[in-house]
Amino acid sequence: MVVPDASMVRVRIAPSPTGFAHLGTASTALYNILFARANGGTFALRIDDTDAERNRPEYELLIYESLRWLGLDWDEGPDKGGPYAPYRQSERLDLYKQHAAQLLADGKAYRCYCTPEELDAERKQAQAEKRPYKYSRRCLTNPPTGRAEFTVRFKVPGGEVKFKDMIRGDMSFDSDLIGDFIIVKSNGYPVYQFASPVDDAVMKISHVIRGEEHLSNTPYHLMLIDALGYERPTAYAHMPLILAKDGTKMSKRKHPETNLALYREQGYLPEALINYLALLGWNPGTSQEIFTFDELVQAFSFDRVQHAGARFDWEKLNWINGEYIRRLDDEELVRRLQPFLPNLDEATIRRAVPALKTRMAKLADAATLLEYLWTNPPAPALEPEALERVRAAIAVLNDVPWEQQAIHDSLMGVVEKSGLGPNKTFMPIRLAVTGKKISPPIDYTLALLPKEVAMSRLQRVAGVTA
Ligand code: GLU
C-alpha cells in the first residue's frame, strides 16, 4: 500500500520485554514492515521497558531472536542504533522528564499529591453515586500541603479528539469523558501513555500501526502530542486482535499458540508463518493463499484488513506450512530437517525426504513418522486375518531387492489377492514394522529400514522364525 509522501514513512513496533516473545508482536511487526517496504520507509524497533519490575534483558533477546527467525528485521533499534538512538525507553528517561517539566511549566500538567487511599475513596464515591469516575482535580485547584510524594497528571483540555485510522476510517473521542491522567508515576518513571507518544513524536513516526487494544489509548497520545506542540503522526492503524479459534481472547497461560518459540520448535517454516499471519486479519480480495514476501508487500493494504477479531486456525496454518514444505527442494528440506532428526544421518534423511514430503504438516512430524528407525516398537497383537496379510507380505518380500519401487510392486500383488484395498491391507504391516497407524507410505517405510530389521519385525508378529 503506497501512500502520498511515501519518502517520509517511518513506522515502529514497541514491544515490552515482560515475557516470552508473543505472536501478536510478530503480527504487528509484519504489518509494519509490509507498509514500510511498500513505501521505501523505515522500520524501527523500540523497546518499551519502562516497567522496571517486569522487564528482563533475556526477554528482550527473545524478541530479537524470534523476529530475526521470521526474517522481520528492523532498520533502527537498540542493537543497531539509528538517528533517534537510544531505542530502549529505559535509556530515554531524561527525555520524558524534560517533556513532563515542559508541560508543568506551561500549566498543561500538574503535580498530584493525593494518596492511593484518597483516590480509592474518590472512585468508590463515584461508584456509589453511579457516575463514571474522573479525577476530581483536587490537586489542580487545592493541593494538600506538606507532602513530598507526587505523581504528574496531564490536564485534559476537553473537546473532541479526532484522527484517521487507516482501517476504521475517521475516529472521534470525547475527551470530556477522560479524567486528568497520570503521566509520571511517583517513582519518577513515565507511564506508557506518556513515553509512547513522546517517542513517536520525537522519532518522527509517520504511521502508528499497532494492535486494536491500543485504539482507546490513541486519544490520550494525541492530546499529549498536541500539548507538547509536536506534529501528529499522519495516521494510525489498529490491527484486529488475534483470538482463539472459539472467538475468545487468547491468554498467555491457556494458549500456547501465543508463544512464538512454539512455532520454531514444532518446525513451522518462518516463511509459512509469515504467510499465515498476513492472512490472519487481512485478505487479498482474490483466492490466492500462498504469497512470497514480495508479493505480500505488493498486495497488502489496510482497507482489506478486517475490523473484527481474527480467529487463530491451526488447520489453515498446518495446510499453509505443508504447502511450503512440499515446495522446498529436497536438499533444502534435508537441511531444515536435520535439527529435528538428531538420531539419523544425512543420507538416511535424504532417502526419507520424498516420502516425508507428502505426509508432513510441520518438520517435527518427521520425528514421529520416522521414530521406528531408531527405536524397536513393541509387536502388536493382530487378528488372525490380519496376520495372514503379514505372512503374505513376508512371502513376497523375501526375494525382493530392497528398494522402494521393487517393494511397492511386490506388495501390490498382496493387495490384489486380499481384495481389501491398499490401506487396509497395509495396516497390519505398518503396525508390525513401526508400531503406529501412521507412517510414510509403506514401501518407503520398509525400504528405509535395513532389510533384515524389517523382515524380523514382520516375522516376530507372524510367529515365523527366520
Ligand atoms: N508496549 C506496547 C505493546 O507491546 C506498545 C504499544 C504501542 O505500539 O504503542 O503493546
Side-chain angles (χ1 to χ4, degrees):
M1 175 172 172
V2 181
V3 291
D5 220 355
S7 62
M8 306 296 288
V9 165
R10 289 182 52 78
V11 295
R12 83 329 181 250
I13 55 166
S16 303
T18 52
F20 59 66
H22 202 271
L23 183 69
T25 301
S27 155
T28 310
L30 172 62
Y31 290 124
N32 272 279
I33 292 197
L34 292 178
F35 184 70
R37 297 291 169 258
N39 288 288
T42 302
F43 169 56
L45 171 62
R46 188 169 78 213
I47 294 292
D48 180 345
D49 60 350
T50 52
D51 185 347
E53 272 158 40
R54 294 174 61 218
N55 296 303
R56 301 266 179 284
E58 57 270 30
Y59 295 146
E60 187 178 317
L61 289 180
L62 285 182
I63 295 172
Y64 294 168
E65 250 172 49
S66 49
L67 291 179
R68 287 219 168 94
W69 172 69
L70 282 165
L72 299 175
D73 211 350
W74 45 100
D75 306 310
E76 299 170 13
D79 57 332
K80 287 200 169 158
Y84 300 96
Y87 289 85
R88 229 177 249 116
Q89 290 190 323
S90 59
E91 293 167 17
R92 301 169 65 80
L93 297 175
D94 282 346
L95 182 84
Y96 312 128
K97 277 199 186 115
Q98 284 159 23
H99 284 80
Q102 181 192 328
L103 290 175
L104 284 167
D106 292 350
K108 293 176 177 171
Y110 57 94
R111 293 192 171 90
C112 175
Y113 297 91
C114 294
T115 62
E117 295 73 28
E118 286 166 344
L119 293 172
D120 210 39
E122 275 196 3
R123 216 169 283 118
K124 289 208 174 105
Q125 175 87 21
Q127 242 168 25
E129 291 168 18
K130 295 199 171 17
R131 56 178 166 83
Y133 173 66
K134 252 171 81 167
Y135 174 59
S136 63
R137 287 196 160 168
R138 167 189 179 213
C139 287
L140 177 65
T141 50
N142 187 21
T145 51
R147 294 186 188 180
E149 203 164 279
F150 63 88
T151 59
V152 179
R153 275 187 196 271
F154 178 61
K155 194 172 140 202
V156 172
E160 292 289 296
V161 183
K162 294 187 174 158
F163 64 94
K164 186 171 167 318
D165 187 285
M166 290 188 283
I167 299 166
R168 286 151 221 276
D170 290 327
M171 305 296 297
S172 168
F173 285 82
D174 179 1
S175 80
D176 290 321
L177 302 174
I178 301 175
D180 294 348
F181 55 94
I182 293 173
I183 55 174
V184 181
K185 295 187 268 189
S186 57
N187 63 7
Y189 273 74
V191 300
Y192 160 73
Q193 296 291 34
F194 186 47
S196 180
V198 167
D199 283 341
D200 287 341
V202 172
M203 293 183 169
K204 300 211 164 32
I205 299 302
S206 62
H207 296 76
V208 176
I209 302 161
R210 59 184 166 197
E212 189 192 340
E213 67 273 28
H214 294 293
L215 181 59
S216 59
N217 292 330
T218 300
Y220 291 68
H221 297 181
L222 288 171
M223 286 191 286
L224 282 162
I225 291 173
D226 292 349
L228 288 163
Y230 285 119
E231 209 177 307
R232 292 179 171 195
T234 309
Y236 285 73
H238 291 94
M239 307 301 303
L241 289 182
I242 301 177
L243 303 175
K245 175 121 194 170
D246 62 4
T248 57
K249 216 174 158 230
M250 286 223 217
S251 81
K252 279 192 172 187
R253 206 167 36 81
K254 276 201 254 151
H255 296 92
E257 58 268 49
T258 52
N259 185 349
L260 276 175
L262 175 99
Y263 301 92
R264 195 174 185 172
E265 277 160 29
Q266 287 292 309
Y268 287 93
L269 308 190
E271 55 274 45
L273 184 56
I274 289 285
N275 192 147
Y276 174 70
L277 284 176
L279 295 175
L280 187 60
W282 167 79
N283 77 82
T286 64
S287 57
Q288 185 177 352
E289 299 209 86
I290 302 294
F291 288 84
T292 63
F293 192 81
D294 290 341
E295 284 172 336
L296 286 175
V297 170
Q298 291 296 320
F300 178 76
S301 76
F302 284 104
D303 46 22
R304 291 201 157 276
V305 172
Q306 69 194 46
H307 294 198
R311 293 178 187 222
F312 192 89
D313 182 353
W314 278 114
E315 243 169 73
K316 181 149 184 188
L317 172 59
N318 285 336
W319 176 78
I320 290 180
N321 203 54
E323 282 296 300
Y324 273 81
I325 287 177
R326 284 184 280 287
R327 287 170 193 215
L328 288 180
D329 76 50
D330 286 2
E331 276 314 300
E332 179 61 18
L333 185 50
V334 169
R335 198 181 65 73
R336 299 214 199 190
L337 278 171
Q338 275 170 326
F340 291 87
L341 296 169
N343 295 306
L344 298 182
D345 60 43
E346 197 178 317
T348 310
I349 298 176
R350 188 167 292 118
R351 281 200 297 136
V353 147
L356 288 175
K357 252 188 176 173
T358 59
R359 307 242 159 152
M360 264 191 308
K362 52 192 193 297
L363 299 176
D365 294 346
T368 318
L369 290 165
L370 296 183
E371 203 182 358
Y372 74 99
L373 294 180
W374 62 85
T375 57
N376 189 10
L382 297 175
E383 299 289 319
E385 171 259 346
L387 277 178
E388 267 323 300
R389 275 173 274 146
V390 176
R391 289 200 184 103
I394 294 171
V396 296
L397 290 172
N398 259 330
D399 302 322
V400 156
W402 207 243
E403 49 91 20
Q404 172 259 331
Q405 192 59 50
I407 295 173
H408 174 267
D409 295 346
S410 67
L411 286 179
M412 285 324 280
V414 180
V415 173
E416 252 165 56
K417 270 199 210 121
S418 78
L420 292 169
N423 283 349
K424 225 171 162 208
T425 306
F426 296 148
M427 188 51 76
I429 302 169
R430 194 183 298 286
L431 277 172
V433 174
T434 69
K436 291 183 186 179
K437 288 191 174 156
I438 296 171
S439 79
I442 194 66
D443 41 0
Y444 286 94
T445 300
L446 289 163
L448 285 167
L449 275 177
K451 183 170 185 176
E452 62 281 9
V453 177
M455 293 306 284
S456 81
R457 287 188 192 176
L458 292 172
Q459 282 156 352
R460 70 185 173 161
V461 170
V464 180
T465 42

